[in-house]
């Protein structure tokens, strides 16, 4: 358990510097990751792909 706490603390520090807008979801995402890392990473990749598709659609619509 202490390893998870340390890892979460380090990851939060990194997130504060590189993606502060992600901090609102940090606790939920890190909890999901520690529960089932493969499932959490798959869900994150799926969300990222959907975001890329949406931003591509918006760009095409605006052009």
């Amino acid at each position: 358990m202490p390893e998870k706490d340390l890892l979460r603390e380090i990851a939060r520090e990194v997130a504060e510097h590189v993606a502060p807008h992600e901090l609102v979801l940090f606790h939920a995402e890190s909890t999901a990751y520690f529960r089932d890392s493969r499932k959490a990473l798959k869900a994150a990749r799926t969300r990222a792909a959907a975001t890329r598709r949406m931003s591509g659609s918006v760009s095409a619509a605006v052009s």
Side-chain angles (χ1 to χ4, degrees):
M1 186 71 149
E3 296 87 16
K4 287 182 182 180
D5 292 339
L6 178 59
L7 185 56
R8 183 178 277 137
E9 184 178 327
I10 292 168
R12 186 173 176 77
E13 288 287 324
V14 171
E16 283 182 25
H17 292 285
V18 298
H21 58 281
E22 297 288 338
L23 289 177
V24 294
L25 297 174
F26 186 84
H27 181 73
E29 293 289 337
S30 63
T31 299
Y33 178 83
F34 285 124
R35 187 178 312 119
D36 186 343
S37 61
R38 287 184 181 163
K39 185 177 177 181
L41 291 172
K42 183 178 179 183
R45 284 191 298 271
T46 300
R47 284 191 306 274
T51 300
R52 284 191 301 274
R53 282 191 305 275
M54 284 186 65
S55 64
S57 297
V58 169
S59 295
V62 172
S63 298

